Amino acid sequence: MRETLPSAIEDYEQIPFQEFTQKAYLNYSMYVILDRALPHIADGLKPVQRRIVYSMSQLGLASTAKFKKSARTVGDVLGKFHPHGDTACYEAMVLLAQPFSLRYPLVDGQGNWGDPNDPKSFAAMRYTESRLSQYADIFLSEVDQGTSDWVPNFDGTLNEPKLLPARLPNILLNGSAGIAVGMATNILPHNLREVAKALIHLIDNENTSLDQICKFIKGPDFPTEAEIITPRSEIKDIYKTGLGRVKMRAKFHVEDSEIIFTALPHHASTEKIYEQIASQMEAKKLPMVSDIRDESDHEDPTRLVVIPRSNRIDLNALTDHLFATTDLEKSYSFNMNMIGINGRPQVKNLVEILTEWLEYRAETVRKKLNFKLEKILKRLHILEGFLIAFLNMDEVIKIIRRSDHPKKDLIKAFSITELQATAILEIRLRQLAKLEEIKIKSEQKDLNSQKKELERILGKEKAFKKYIKEEIKSDAKKYGDKRRSPIKKRKEAEKFSVTDVMDIQPVTIILSKNGWIRSAKGHDINPEAVKFKSGDSLLGHLRTKSDKPIIFLDNTGRSYMLFSHTLPSARSNGEPLTGHLSIQANAHIKFMLSGENNNHFLIGSSRGYGFILKFEDLLTNYKNGKAVVTLKENHELLNPEAVIDLEKDYIAAITSKGRLLIFKLNQLPNLKKGQGNKIISIPKRELKPPVPETLNFIKILPPNANIFIYSGRHYLKLNPGNQKDYTGMRGHRGKKLPRGYQNVDRVEIVPI
């Protein structure tokens, strides 16, 4: 056994594991990109969608046919073209049928196919029935006219079209969404008539600009009457790059002092919006709203009523808040990533999409016309044979009756081709006798006329372009409709501030060393007297007002934000701050700040660097905070100092080796984040172990104030006159304090 095992292993191909995994991942990635997730620019369909449409056409499920069970269609798709899960296939089919999901549905459904509030609530495929929509004809009307390249199906028993010959750019009309490996796509739908006009203009003007195209294509057009509020300039930028975001806002009107929403953004749910508003009411964040009702029914699919508490409520401010805090306003990513004619995925701009699709359409039309021409030429050739047969009727009948090889004898006797001979033999003798020269020549005349017209269209570029334009105009008239999503200019929605929904009162925030936090009403509380859990003690406190945001700074230089109304009462032991904020495992809160947005603070580090920032630059809505101060290893954040006067104030900086430097505050830069500039110079030799020198204190020093420097039981008082000895320029070394005061424990600034 031990001897045979190695030889058995040697029989298999051996490759390095890394090489195997790389190839496997690459193959999988390309499969997902090309065969699952991304649509093709030609027909705007993914493979599963293309197979559903084609399979339904093969089942005879045209728009005029009777409905058939969806399970029949899904079974046909899986069995013949798409050997994957039936659930996934049916969900793809449902998406093609939902008028609230697709701008121009490809499937006409009967039964429960879901609703806007819950698109996934559709019935099982054994209960629903379906057929193709009229719009689906744009994919199928030319599929058997030599326009498609055919490829074997998964088991090689059948052929399927590689692409469908779409008569319109479905890639823009219905859009597409999908996630591949390393890339994604999200193409928003557009209005058919607008796109058709742009195509016609582009045919007539090949070098047209995006500005001219945007005169026809105003923007996306969703299957909802909600408003698109993205400015036209931004929409134009999206069309220029193929990337961006588009905002939609619910449509509403005021009736008897009630706000009634009648159209929601694409894929927004009245149920979810109802819950969002109700939760705000429960949290007492909407005291001006007394009630909310969902009155949606079959007659009014969307009717959401918000009832204000009184007639004095500013309805514009209320609706703005609702837009900013609920799905009444939604944002949609725009990523026009697709597989091009060259078979490669690429993000394309609007002009590139239209131009490339027109190239594909021109090639398709040329194939179609050549197919028709070949068919006419073949028929003319056969008619020539029929005419010969008519003129030699008796001899033809004689050869057919008596000859053992009538085809060969006919070819020899009348110098006709095999095709002509075959056509003559396939006609019944009774029909052959009825052949009339007039009928044959009449058909020849008609076909020759069609032949000349086709040759004219194919031979002249102008006529060819006109033919394509007429087809587009015809389809636009047949399938087009008015824009559903109006593009409106609206101001940015803003939610209520905390001051609008709560009573303003003084509060004291208490933070323990173990990171437990609580909020006490009033400023008269003594933080030192507050009880803590065993092993815990006071880290710091902050006196502020309930409407002011509280900023927390950790030892890594990140800032976090909370409001006092979200914190537990001081009557309890509080709650861990980590329950409110996502603080890194190696980090801990060091300082708390509060103030107005335009207040300034001095920020510094023990390395001797610092800068001035506004309080608003510390604000953040992210639970994991944001980086504000850049700190290197072993450097600590110093206690931030509130700035009184940017122009008149000074900075007093003291190092661990007793060096003091005083300089004008305006010598430091105003930054939003970073390391800042050098406050005091600390030579490299002083930074070396065992006891490296650090900046220990930075204080804001008004022009008329004394500095009290404490060292043990003693203190040194520096009045404005004595301070001049230590005054210099930012970044200088500073001057040593007198002996006995170089080991500084505490610094106080006392105004005179």
Side-chain angles (χ1 to χ4, degrees):
M1 187 69 177
R2 292 181 180 178
E3 294 179 357
T4 58
L5 186 60
S7 62
I9 295 174
E10 289 173 1
D11 291 339
Y12 295 94
E13 181 186 0
Q14 297 184 33
I15 58 172
F17 183 73
Q18 184 178 358
E19 183 183 340
F20 170 77
T21 54
Q22 285 178 346
K23 286 183 177 179
Y25 181 75
L26 182 62
N27 292 337
Y28 172 73
S29 302
M30 294 305 297
Y31 163 72
V32 173
I33 292 169
L34 300 177
D35 278 341
R36 273 179 59 184
L38 297 190
H40 200 285
I41 192 173
D43 54 15
L45 300 175
K46 301 176 184 178
V48 65
Q49 296 170 332
R50 188 177 301 116
R51 288 161 177 166
I52 289 170
V53 172
Y54 178 69
S55 187
M56 290 182 74
S57 72
Q58 293 300 104
L59 283 170
L61 295 177
S63 58
T64 56
K66 290 183 178 180
F67 289 94
K68 282 187 180 180
K69 288 287 185 183
S70 301
R72 170 74 184 278
T73 300
V74 172
D76 239 45
V77 174
L78 299 185
K80 293 181 178 179
F81 307 112
H82 198 73
H84 298 278
D86 59 339
T87 303
C89 181
Y90 181 53
E91 286 183 3
M93 183 178 174
V94 169
L95 190 65
L96 297 178
Q98 291 178 336
F100 49 84
S101 295
L102 225 57
R103 184 64 178 85
Y104 301 97
L106 276 67
V107 174
D108 184 10
Q110 188 170 264
N112 179 12
W113 290 80
D115 64 80
N117 285 320
D118 189 5
K120 298 279 188 182
S121 63
F122 50 86
M125 58 185 169
R126 61 183 178 274
Y127 299 121
T128 62
E129 296 179 338
S130 58
R131 65 184 180 187
L132 289 169
S133 68
Q134 194 176 12
Y135 174 79
D137 290 344
I138 72 161
F139 302 99
L140 302 166
S141 60
E142 300 172 353
V143 74
D144 294 323
Q145 298 182 23
T147 54
S148 296
D149 294 329
W150 296 83
V151 294
N153 68 339
F154 64 92
D155 60 1
T157 57
L158 296 169
N159 287 330
E160 61 177 314
K162 187 177 181 181
L163 297 168
L164 293 176
R167 294 166 61 93
L168 292 168
N170 184 64
I171 191 76
L172 285 175
L173 302 183
N174 273 322
S176 187
I179 301 173
V181 180
M183 61 178 66
T185 184
N186 197 48
I187 306 167
L188 303 183
H190 290 77
N191 184 268
L192 195 154
R193 290 178 180 175
E194 291 181 6
V195 173
K197 288 177 181 177
L199 287 170
I200 292 168
H201 178 81
L202 190 57
I203 292 171
D204 292 331
N205 306 273
E206 293 183 356
N207 297 320
T208 190
S209 64
L210 179 62
D211 290 334
Q212 292 172 313
I213 292 294
C214 287
K215 290 179 181 178
F216 303 101
I217 301 178
K218 310 296 184 183
D221 187 25
F222 295 88
T224 173
E225 294 179 2
E227 299 173 348
I228 296 172
I229 62 169
T230 303
R232 291 185 185 272
S233 58
E234 292 185 20
I235 294 175
K236 182 181 168 183
D237 290 338
I238 293 170
Y239 286 149
K240 187 177 181 179
T241 60
L243 299 167
R245 299 193 73 83
V246 172
K247 281 186 181 179
M248 287 197 84
R249 182 177 290 181
K251 191 176 179 182
F252 74 95
H253 66 272
V254 178
E255 187 178 304
D256 297 331
S257 299
E258 297 178 347
I259 305 169
I260 301 172
F261 296 95
T262 55
L264 303 181
H266 186 49
H267 281 165
S269 164
T270 54
E271 292 179 1
K272 185 178 179 182
I273 294 170
Y274 183 95
E275 291 173 0
Q276 290 172 336
I277 298 174
S279 64
Q280 290 191 52
M281 293 170 66
E282 290 176 7
K284 299 180 180 181
K285 293 182 178 181
L286 282 175
M288 63 290 299
V289 176
S290 65
D291 195 11
I292 177 174
R293 297 196 304 266
D294 185 2
E295 299 180 352
S296 306
D297 54 25
H298 292 291
E299 293 184 2
D300 297 309
T302 301
R303 186 177 171 85
L304 195 64
V305 183
V306 176
I307 305 170
R309 195 167 292 279
S310 73
N311 295 331
R312 298 187 299 273
I313 301 296
D314 186 348
L315 298 183
N316 289 326
L318 176 57
T319 52
D320 273 1
H321 175 78
L322 295 176
F323 288 140
T325 58
T326 69
D327 284 350
L328 287 168
E329 181 176 301
K330 291 187 72 173
S331 180
Y332 305 88
S333 66
F334 215 135
N335 181 8
M336 296 199 288
N337 189 10
M338 64 196 71
I339 300 171
I341 301 299
N342 59 4
R344 297 178 181 178
Q346 185 185 349
V347 177
K348 302 179 185 291
N349 62 43
L350 182 60
V351 177
E352 287 174 341
I353 293 171
L354 294 173
T355 303
E356 193 168 332
W357 184 85
L358 276 176
E359 291 174 2
Y360 166 77
R361 182 58 190 161
E363 184 185 351
T364 303
V365 171
R366 203 173 294 280
K367 286 180 179 178
K368 179 181 70 172
L369 295 179
N370 280 320
F371 178 83
K372 287 183 177 179
L373 184 59
E374 289 175 8
K375 198 172 180 180
I376 288 171
L377 291 173
K378 183 180 178 181
R379 181 60 181 171
L380 285 170
H381 185 63
I382 291 171
L383 288 176
E384 288 178 5
F386 285 169
L387 195 59
I388 293 170
F390 175 77
L391 295 173
N392 302 274
M393 185 75 69
D394 293 337
E395 193 173 348
V396 168
I397 294 172
K398 186 178 178 181
I399 292 171
I400 292 172
R401 285 179 174 177
R402 298 180 180 180
S403 176
D404 294 331
H405 304 285
K407 186 187 289 186
K408 290 182 179 180
D409 291 339
L410 285 173
I411 294 171
K412 186 178 179 181
F414 303 111
S415 300
I416 59 177
T417 65
E418 186 175 351
L419 179 63
Q420 290 172 323
T422 303
I424 293 169
L425 290 171
E426 287 177 351
I427 297 177
R428 294 179 182 179
L429 287 176
R430 186 172 56 186
Q431 291 177 297
L432 190 65
K434 288 183 179 180
L435 284 175
E436 297 179 11
E437 185 178 8
I438 297 173
K439 289 183 179 180
I440 296 171
K441 288 186 176 181
S442 176
E443 189 179 353
Q444 278 183 323
K445 185 180 178 181
D446 185 47
L447 291 174
N448 276 317
S449 176
Q450 293 181 37
K451 170 176 166 286
K452 287 179 182 179
E453 180 63 18
L454 290 172
E455 289 175 341
R456 185 186 70 83
I457 294 171
L458 288 167
K460 293 184 178 180
E461 187 68 20
K462 190 175 180 180
F464 186 71
K465 287 183 177 180
K466 185 181 178 182
Y467 182 85
I468 295 176
K469 285 195 298 181
E470 291 301 322
E471 281 192 336
I472 293 172
K473 286 179 182 177
S474 174
D475 290 337
K477 186 178 180 180
K478 185 176 181 180
Y479 305 111
D481 56 5
K482 293 181 180 179
R483 167 174 281 278
R484 293 188 190 176
S485 306
I487 302 174
K488 300 289 185 178
K489 188 177 180 181
R490 305 292 189 194
K491 70 178 185 70
E492 195 76 17
E494 294 181 359
K495 65 179 180 180
F496 292 131
S497 65
V498 177
T499 58
D500 296 322
V501 295
M502 65 183 301
D503 296 328
I504 302 173
Q505 55 186 348
V507 292
T508 302
I509 310 301
I510 301 168
L511 181 64
S512 76
K513 290 182 179 179
N514 289 343
W516 285 67
I517 194 163
R518 48 189 141 168
S519 174
K521 293 182 179 180
H523 287 170
D524 55 349
I525 188 172
N526 181 11
E528 302 290 342
V530 175
K531 294 182 179 180
F532 297 89
K533 284 188 173 185
S534 178
D536 202 0
S537 59
L538 179 68
L539 174 67
H541 71 280
L542 177 68
R543 290 187 171 92
T544 182
K545 290 185 176 179
S546 57
D547 65 322
K548 300 291 185 277
I550 306 161
I551 295 297
F552 301 87
L553 289 171
D554 68 13
N555 62 313
T556 68
R558 296 186 72 83
S559 74
Y560 310 83
M561 184 179 78
L562 289 175
F563 283 95
S564 62
H565 74 273
T566 64
L567 303 177
S569 170
R571 295 176 182 177
S572 64
N573 290 321
E575 295 174 354
L577 196 55
T578 52
H580 298 265
L581 304 172
S582 299
I583 303 172
Q584 296 179 2
N586 62 339
H588 59 271
I589 301 299
K590 289 197 67 176
F591 307 109
M592 295 187 293
L593 302 175
S594 187
E596 303 289 344
N597 284 352
N598 58 354
N599 289 161
H600 290 80
F601 286 85
L602 169 63
I603 303 289
S605 69
S606 61
R607 178 64 179 86
Y609 289 80
F611 58 95
I612 309 295
L613 61 60
K614 282 186 176 181
F615 182 76
E616 64 182 3
D617 295 328
L618 294 167
L619 304 179
T620 175
N621 291 320
Y622 297 108
K623 288 186 69 176
N624 61 348
K626 70 174 183 179
V628 177
V629 188
T630 303
L631 296 172
K632 295 183 179 179
E633 193 176 357
N634 299 324
H635 295 161
E636 294 184 6
L637 182 68
L638 301 181
N639 191 13
E641 288 282 306
V643 176
I644 301 169
D645 192 318
L646 281 169
E647 295 301 322
K648 295 181 180 180
D649 284 350
Y650 286 78
I651 293 176
I654 303 176
T655 71
S656 59
K657 293 190 176 181
R659 287 191 173 270
L660 169 63
L661 177 65
I662 300 172
F663 61 90
K664 286 291 288 290
L665 177 65
N666 57 18
Q667 294 182 25
L668 275 180
N670 287 274
L671 302 175
K672 291 187 176 182
K673 63 178 181 179
Q675 178 180 265
N677 288 6
K678 188 179 289 185
I679 294 176
I680 189 169
S681 176
I682 302 176
K684 287 185 179 180
R685 65 178 182 273
E686 300 294 340
L687 295 172
K688 295 179 179 178
V691 187
E693 186 178 0
T694 57
L695 177 61
N696 284 6
F697 299 95
I698 49 171
K699 293 288 183 179
I700 296 295
L701 179 63
N704 294 311
N706 295 322
I707 307 176
F708 288 84
I709 299 173
Y710 294 86
S711 180
R713 298 180 179 180
H714 305 283
Y715 70 88
L716 173 67
K717 177 183 176 183
L718 296 177
N719 57 38
N722 297 332
Q723 294 167 15
K724 292 180 180 179
D725 296 335
Y726 299 92
T727 302
M729 296 296 292
R730 178 190 63 78
H732 285 190
R733 183 70 174 119
K735 184 179 177 181
K736 270 205 169 191
L737 293 167
R739 288 187 178 180
Y741 300 99
Q742 294 176 1
N743 189 16
V744 182
D745 297 321
R746 183 163 56 93
V747 180
E748 287 184 3
I749 307 297
V750 181
I752 298 175

